Amino acid sequence: MSQFAVILPAAGSSSRFKLQPRKKPFVEIAGRAVWLRAADPFLNHPRVAQMIVVISPSDHEWFREHYAPHLAFHNIDVALGGAERADSVGNALALLRPGIDHVAVHDAARPVLTVEWVNRVFDAAERDGAALLATPITSTIKRGGADGKVVETVPRAGLWAAQTPQVFRRSVLEEAYARRGNLQPTDEASLVESLGQPVTLVEGSPLNIKITADEDLRFAELALQALPPAVSSRPLHPFADET
Ligand code: CTP
Ligand code: MG
């Protein structure tokens, strides 16, 4: 069986999220921190052998202290974040343990994820080497100009909105990072695409939202309630009811 590592980048500055003094991965939804909800479907997952959370140097001491029981119980590693998201993920790659052969990257700011969607994208990555969750675009897409007027309507056929988890054979992601140069992509798949490596789109759910601005927190709360009742987002463990 493949051994997966999961990297949770949580080292951004949450500059578009102004609702609370805390950064978005550390606010709570229904009594549990956003980053823990993002981690839940991977904790105790039979294929996950390592979890690495990426934290900015300014949050590091507070984070280690505040979440010490969770970090210890689940044996979670902590990497230090960099200036851009790709720098943060790159720092985490340096901590991968021997024996890990697949790597998943999942935004710490995406707290509504199920084990079923994780299994779907894990299976595709094992089969094809690179895969991500995504949803087909359903809106009509306009390109806007600096004057606030429509420049054109972009045909939406074949357009997908990329989500995370994005999952790769370890050697594929490491090669993409080795050849990264000065690129600052907003996701890992685009680096892998630039190698010419095919990346498989796995249809996920619009419920898997990323918290970006304030109102997304309320959307995420509702999305959590909208998950199918039979779907568990996390296995039971001793900290199940703690934050
Ligand atoms: N991230 C990171 N390191 C960075 C930038 C982003 O680990 N240097 C993480 C964020 O913490 C988040 C995920 O990448 O979990 C997605 O990024 P985004 O939604 O853009 O979060 P922020 O960069 O924190 O927010 P903003 O762009 O509004 O400042
Ligand atoms: Mg950002």
Side-chain angles (χ1 to χ4, degrees), residues 10-97:
S13 53
S14 298
S15 57
R16 290 168 288 178
F17 182 82
K18 303 183 170 73
L19 192 66
Q20 299 197 20
R22 280 190 191 171
K23 293 180 184 172
K24 59 196 184 182
F26 313 120
V27 302
E28 288 178 5
I29 295 185
R32 190 160 170 85
V34 164
W35 81 270
L36 279 166
R37 290 195 177 276
D40 278 336
F42 304 105
L43 299 174
N44 302 337
H45 190 292
R47 281 186 269 179
V48 173
Q50 182 180 15
M51 170 152 318
I52 307 170
V53 184
V54 194
I55 300 295
S56 86
S58 60
D59 295 327
H60 185 233
E61 202 180 317
W62 168 83
F63 179 83
R64 277 203 177 275
E65 204 176 296
H66 193 78
Y67 293 106
H70 300 87
L71 299 179
F73 183 77
H74 293 295
N75 197 15
I76 296 172
D77 295 323
V78 181
L80 287 181
E84 301 291 335
R85 179 202 159 89
D87 303 316
S88 293
V89 172
N91 290 352
L93 287 179
L95 300 188
L96 289 179
R97 295 182 197 147

Side-chain angles (χ1 to χ4, degrees), residues 122-184:
F122 274 16
D123 290 347
E126 276 184 317
R127 191 186 60 227
D128 300 337
L132 73 153
L133 286 186
T135 52
I137 298 285
T138 54
S139 302
T140 299
I141 302 292
K142 310 281 186 192
R143 191 185 309 282
D147 59 357
K149 302 281 193 293
V150 172
V151 175
E152 61 169 339
T153 299
V154 182
R156 69 168 176 235
L159 290 185
W160 294 70
Q163 301 179 338
T164 68
Q166 303 196 345
V167 192
F168 311 93
R169 198 173 295 137
R170 175 177 182 167
S171 55
V172 167
L173 191 59
E174 286 182 334
E175 189 186 347
Y177 266 80
R179 297 197 190 186
R180 181 182 147 209
N182 294 323
L183 292 178
Q184 289 294 3

